[in-house]
Amino acid sequence: MSYNIAIDGPAGAGKSTIAKLVAKNKGYIYVDTGAMYRAMALFMLNEKVDLDRTDLIAEKSKDADISIRYEDGVQCVFLNGQNVDGLIRTEEVSAAASKSSVVQEVRAKLTSLQKKLAAEQDVVMDGRDIGTKVLPNADLKIFLTASVEVRAKRRYDELCAKGVDCDLKAIQDEIAERDHRDMTRAEAPLVQAEDAILVDSSDLTIEQVADKILSYVK
Ligand code: DC
């Protein structure tokens, strides 16, 4: 039986950084489900699908073949045979992913891929609905959060470090809007699973959060 750790939480709480550290420490595979939703969103943008039309997104999603492979232990996302890692971290794709991920057909397709990965190997999987929908029987469930202000400031610092011109207030508004959409959608909304452990990373360092989570791993 594989050991499965589910980490859910809002954008910018530090899920991917923490999940990668925990996976590395335990020798498990890290599965970034957001990257799969991003690849699907990129496909919709490339195909010029109107993102307010859930019926068109549902229909078009049948033509997107999304898979992941590991190269030197790092997850790479493929869209119809092409590695799209370098194309999915833009604000445009973030906003599109938040929209296309509300569509049931999109979720069904990606959820089945995620379940398969977790059944085959020990994983640390992060996302929005991992503990509630994808891996309801996960061995450990973490709900990782932080205040909107702290999350916006982290994103702002990240962008500034890359030399990107940005506005803190605009980032904060964008995060609040994305939270709202992710938490109020009908399909698999972002909620804490009943048996998940709540970890607030607002006042903790990355190492402190990782240590806390590792202390829960049996
Ligand atoms: O974690 P992220 O920012 O890469 O996620 C991108 C979008 O995908 C986010 O708006 C919510 C959606 N998502 C989802 O609906 N379910 C998941 N398991 C992971 C991400």
Side-chain angles (χ1 to χ4, degrees):
M1 276 285 277
S2 52
Y3 193 92
N4 293 167
I5 301 176
I7 303 184
D8 289 301
K15 295 188 300 294
S16 63
T17 308
I18 301 298
K20 272 184 217 156
L21 275 178
V22 173
K24 190 161 184 217
N25 183 288
K26 301 303 294 179
Y28 296 177
I29 292 219
Y30 164 54
V31 183
D32 172 2
T33 64
M36 299 177 191
Y37 286 95
R38 286 170 180 274
M40 182 63 89
L42 178 68
F43 179 71
M44 297 300 159
L45 289 170
N46 289 345
E47 297 289 317
K48 306 209 170 10
V49 176
D50 180 349
L51 293 167
D52 292 319
R53 289 280 305 273
T54 54
D55 57 331
L56 297 182
I57 294 173
E59 183 56 32
K60 205 71 188 158
S61 67
K62 293 180 194 150
D63 300 334
D65 176 37
I66 291 167
S67 62
I68 68 170
R69 288 177 219 163
Y70 289 85
E71 290 174 8
D72 296 330
V74 178
Q75 173 183 296
C76 303
V77 186
F78 285 76
L79 168 61
N80 294 335
Q82 186 200 354
N83 183 332
V84 292
D85 281 317
L87 304 172
I88 57 173
R89 303 286 162 197
T90 65
E91 293 303 318
E92 188 190 21
V93 172
S94 297
S98 177
K99 288 189 171 177
S100 53
S101 63
V102 305
V103 179
Q104 201 271 332
E105 285 78 359
V106 167
R107 303 206 70 83
K109 185 166 186 156
L110 299 182
T111 300
S112 87
L113 170 62
Q114 293 154 13
K115 282 182 195 274
K116 191 163 169 284
L117 288 165
E120 290 166 352
Q121 59 227 313
D122 298 332
V123 297
V124 180
M125 188 177 286
D126 77 356
R128 303 294 189 287
D129 59 339
I130 312 306
T132 50
K133 299 269 176 193
V134 182
L135 307 176
N137 299 319
D139 301 277
L140 175 63
K141 298 181 187 177
I142 302 291
F143 193 81
L144 185 63
T145 187
S147 69
V148 173
E149 291 74 17
V150 167
R151 289 184 284 133
K153 181 68 171 52
R154 286 176 185 165
R155 182 79 189 126
Y156 175 80
D157 289 344
E158 243 172 57
L159 290 171
C160 289
K162 285 189 199 155
V164 179
D165 191 24
C166 56
D167 176 62
L168 181 59
K169 176 71 173 59
I171 294 174
Q172 196 166 312
D173 290 348
E174 200 264 336
I175 287 184
E177 189 188 321
R178 203 135 75 90
D179 280 0
H180 181 75
R181 198 179 308 123
D182 292 347
M183 288 154 97
T184 56
R185 68 184 177 205
E187 268 310 312
L190 170 66
V191 283
Q192 183 179 341
E194 261 176 35
D195 50 352
I197 300 170
L198 177 68
V199 177
D200 187 329
S201 74
S202 300
D203 301 314
L204 300 176
T205 64
I206 289 166
E207 288 72 25
Q208 285 172 327
V209 178
D211 285 348
K212 205 181 192 34
I213 294 175
L214 283 166
S215 74
Y216 299 127
V217 181
K218 295 262 161 38

